[in-house]
Amino acid sequence: MDERTLSRRGFLGGAALAAGTIGVIGGATLSLGTAQAAAPLAGTPLPGVVRRKVGSFEVTALLDGYLPVGHELIIGYEEATAAALREAAFVPETGMVIPISAYLVNTGEKLILIDAGTSDKMGPTLGKVATALQAAGVTPDQIDAIFITHMHPDHLFGVLTPTGEKLFPNAELVLPETDRAFWYDDANMNAAPESVRPFFVGARAAADAYQSRQTLFSGEAELIKGIRPLALPGHTPGHSGFVLDSDGQTLIIAGDIMHAAAYQFAHPEWGIAFDVDPAAAVATRKRFFDQAASDRVMFAGAHIPFPGFGHVARDGDAYRFVAAEWPYA
């Protein structure tokens, strides 16, 4: 084979040939002999934990797991366009997988958990935040406060154990006031589809467990030094991000600003069936992408491929996601 014309067929064929050869070095066949200590396959992934610095803050991404979803949940979905985007992003045809992440912020004085995952309420592929926290060297009793972007199950229900007790015994639960009002409104619950009504019941149970230590926020004033909320309405009425500012560096935890990374950066006008107000969610997403691209600010999203840190770049009339480099230091 001409080494200058390495085709896909030639590469794969060469790989197969190499796989069928033990190996030759200097004319001698390499033999590895008998395995000394064959290790069994682990069978499960390591806990999802990635830590990076934002000024003097430490921010740790915690993977709760993933949720398989069908394309029928994407509002505005068009198959030919989606197929081209999947191919460009090396996404398999077998359906979407949406990751779910929470973020731990160590300010040096406080340990703040931004969102809490799902507990055991959304199936066996989820509910891993507690395990990720353990891998990060943190116990639930050390958490000072839990800042919730919105009261959907994959962000709030993880504040409880599977048996319904507080998982974070010393934490204050900090909720967007507008979102709490929405999820506690019986008229909203009764008007919701039957499949969505458990969201209301679960949101109330999770919030009620922290009633003695619960704070509501509105507006965008600092909650603690270096962390302030950012209104991102549409996905839910009170959906919010959190802006972290420390020593001249900024990170925005943007919650559910998007759900399907392969699609929604290129087509921010596409939504998801979980949006309470789809039109407002699209408008908020477009506005956020435009501002993030202009300011070149790093952000993290709960449903961006883990660990979710990166930037928005303009790509013609649309956008693309540029994942942040591994935090080497």
Side-chain angles (χ1 to χ4, degrees):
M1 180 188 298
D2 186 341
E3 292 180 358
R4 296 170 298 176
T5 58
L6 185 62
S7 67
R8 180 176 184 273
R9 177 180 295 177
F11 176 78
L12 295 177
L17 179 62
T21 304
I22 295 176
V24 178
I25 300 178
T29 300
L30 174 65
S31 175
L32 297 180
T34 303
Q36 300 303 308
L41 298 177
T44 57
L46 292 170
V49 177
V50 174
R51 178 175 292 141
R52 68 181 310 118
K53 295 282 285 185
V54 177
S56 61
F57 291 179
E58 288 183 346
V59 182
T60 306
L62 307 168
L63 182 64
D64 191 59
Y66 65 92
L67 182 67
V69 299
H71 295 137
E72 68 277 2
L73 295 178
I74 300 294
I75 300 171
Y77 181 86
E78 195 279 314
E79 174 54 31
T81 301
L85 291 170
R86 287 196 301 270
E87 183 176 10
F90 294 87
V91 173
E93 295 284 339
T94 52
M96 291 190 306
V97 170
I98 296 180
I100 296 175
S101 300
Y103 294 88
L104 177 70
V105 184
N106 187 340
T107 70
E109 298 178 351
K110 298 283 187 181
L111 275 175
I112 308 297
L113 184 62
I114 297 179
D115 289 337
T118 61
S119 187
D120 65 337
K121 300 303 185 288
M122 293 183 68
T125 63
L126 289 160
K128 310 296 193 298
V129 160
T131 301
L133 272 175
Q134 183 180 25
V138 175
T139 56
D141 60 290
Q142 292 179 284
I143 301 298
D144 294 294
I146 310 158
F147 292 180
I148 297 295
T149 59
H150 62 296
M151 294 174 67
H152 269 158
D154 52 326
H155 300 263
L156 175 61
F157 286 15
V159 301
L160 299 181
T161 67
T163 54
E165 288 85 31
K166 292 167 63 171
L167 177 60
F168 305 98
N170 301 315
E172 182 176 1
L173 185 65
V174 182
L175 302 168
E177 184 174 25
T178 302
D179 231 50
R180 190 184 187 282
F182 176 83
W183 293 102
Y184 273 78
D185 189 314
D186 287 341
N188 290 333
M189 182 169 68
N190 294 333
E194 190 68 34
S195 61
V196 176
R197 291 178 191 173
F199 290 13
F200 286 81
V201 175
R204 297 178 189 189
D208 286 349
Y210 289 79
Q211 187 61 51
S212 64
R213 295 204 63 194
Q214 186 178 128
T215 297
L216 306 181
F217 67 85
S218 60
E220 297 186 353
E222 276 194 335
L223 298 172
I224 65 170
K225 183 174 175 55
I227 304 181
R228 62 179 175 85
L230 175 67
L232 298 171
H235 180 57
T236 67
H239 178 247
S240 301
F242 295 98
V243 182
L244 281 53
D245 286 309
S246 175
D247 297 339
Q249 295 186 19
T250 299
L251 172 71
I252 302 175
I253 307 294
D256 283 14
I257 196 65
M258 48 74 60
H259 292 78
Y263 302 146
Q264 288 179 291
F265 287 102
H267 286 278
E269 74 278 10
W270 290 11
I272 196 157
F274 306 125
D275 291 337
V276 173
D277 186 337
V282 167
T284 293
R285 181 162 43 255
K286 289 180 175 180
R287 185 168 59 251
F288 179 85
F289 283 178
D290 180 69
Q291 192 66 54
S294 296
D295 293 349
R296 300 178 65 85
V297 65
M298 184 180 291
F299 80 104
H303 303 305
I304 294 173
F306 187 77
F309 299 112
H311 296 83
V312 181
R314 288 193 174 84
D315 189 9
D317 294 331
Y319 303 90
R320 58 187 174 88
F321 180 66
V322 181
E325 277 204 82
W326 179 264
Y328 299 105

